[in-house]
Amino acid sequence: MRLGLLTYALPHLKTEQVLHGLLLRGGWDIEVYALPFTPRPERKVLFQHRPDQFAAAHPAGIARRFSLPYREVAAADDIPDPPELMLVTVGALIGPRLLERTRVLNVHSGLIPAVRGLDAFKWAVHDGMPLGVSLHAIDAEVDRGEHILSLPTPVYPDDTPATLARRHYEAEVALLTGFQDALRAPAPPLPGLEDRPARKRMSAAVEEEMLARFPAYLDRYGQA
């Protein structure tokens, strides 16, 4: 069965990790589609909650090493004859023409529908919301597509922001790599989560508040 992977045409860590995980599992004819990357203005960040995504192998090199089709496209809508299922490893815009022709799965780094939008890890800690990742199908709305499976991220009493963020990121990669297991056993969103608006990037001032609230977050969620 054909499986598409949508990434950027530059070195990208999450793409490297997911590709390697899929290759280890086997069972798919993987095709890699790479979009152009538009650099964003640098922002002041007090805490980097994700590893450096550009410290990685280029997807073209991985594809060449494992004899996978690799195509660079100007936009997701430009993919000709897309596979019936695609995974997205980057925060790219997915146009309506592609969504009409295939099912595109993404892992959001928050528990849908309560923690939606950008900087989900930081907003969950800031707002005192449970932490977790959600596999869903992309549609026209932000983190609103068909929900497939959500998994809570374990929180431990001796966590630091760095250890919890690392574990949370690894859970995101693992859920996307194991998407097929989730499709076999889908589940509704975790109970008790209210529907909340999608958030934008967290400012440095609010991020400072988030870090100050971290000990209270551990007290609430890090107990056995």
Side-chain angles (χ1 to χ4, degrees), residues 111 121 125 130-133 151-172 190 214 217-218 220-224:
L111 290 176
F121 173 87
V125 173
L131 196 60
V133 295
L151 297 175
T153 299
V155 182
Y156 301 118
D158 58 349
D159 265 326
T160 65
T163 62
L164 184 56
R166 173 193 52 77
R167 186 178 314 116
H168 185 65
Y169 172 76
E170 290 171 354
E172 183 182 331
L190 298 180
F214 188 77
Y217 192 82
L218 292 187
R220 181 174 183 180
Y221 291 106
Q223 305 303 316

Side-chain angles (χ1 to χ4, degrees), residues 80-185:
D81 184 29
E84 58 192 273
L85 184 64
M86 298 191 70
L87 309 180
V88 60
T89 57
V90 295
L93 293 176
I94 311 297
R97 286 190 58 246
L98 180 63
L99 296 178
E100 289 169 0
R101 295 180 293 154
T102 188
R103 191 181 190 195
V104 183
L105 303 185
N106 173 62
V107 168
H108 173 59
S109 58
L111 290 176
I112 295 172
V115 185
R116 300 168 46 237
L118 302 173
D119 284 349
F121 173 87
K122 294 179 179 180
W123 284 115
V125 173
H126 179 275
D127 296 345
M129 302 295 294
L131 196 60
V133 295
S134 302
L135 180 69
H136 67 105
I138 290 179
D139 68 3
E141 297 188 66
V142 177
D143 305 324
R144 282 290 193 200
E146 173 201 0
H147 178 274
I148 299 168
L149 185 67
S150 288
L151 297 175
T153 299
V155 182
Y156 301 118
D158 58 349
D159 265 326
T160 65
T163 62
L164 184 56
R166 173 193 52 77
R167 186 178 314 116
H168 185 65
Y169 172 76
E170 290 171 354
E172 183 182 331
V173 173
L175 182 55
L176 190 58
T177 303
F179 75 94
Q180 195 169 12
D181 297 332
L183 289 176
R184 293 192 189 103

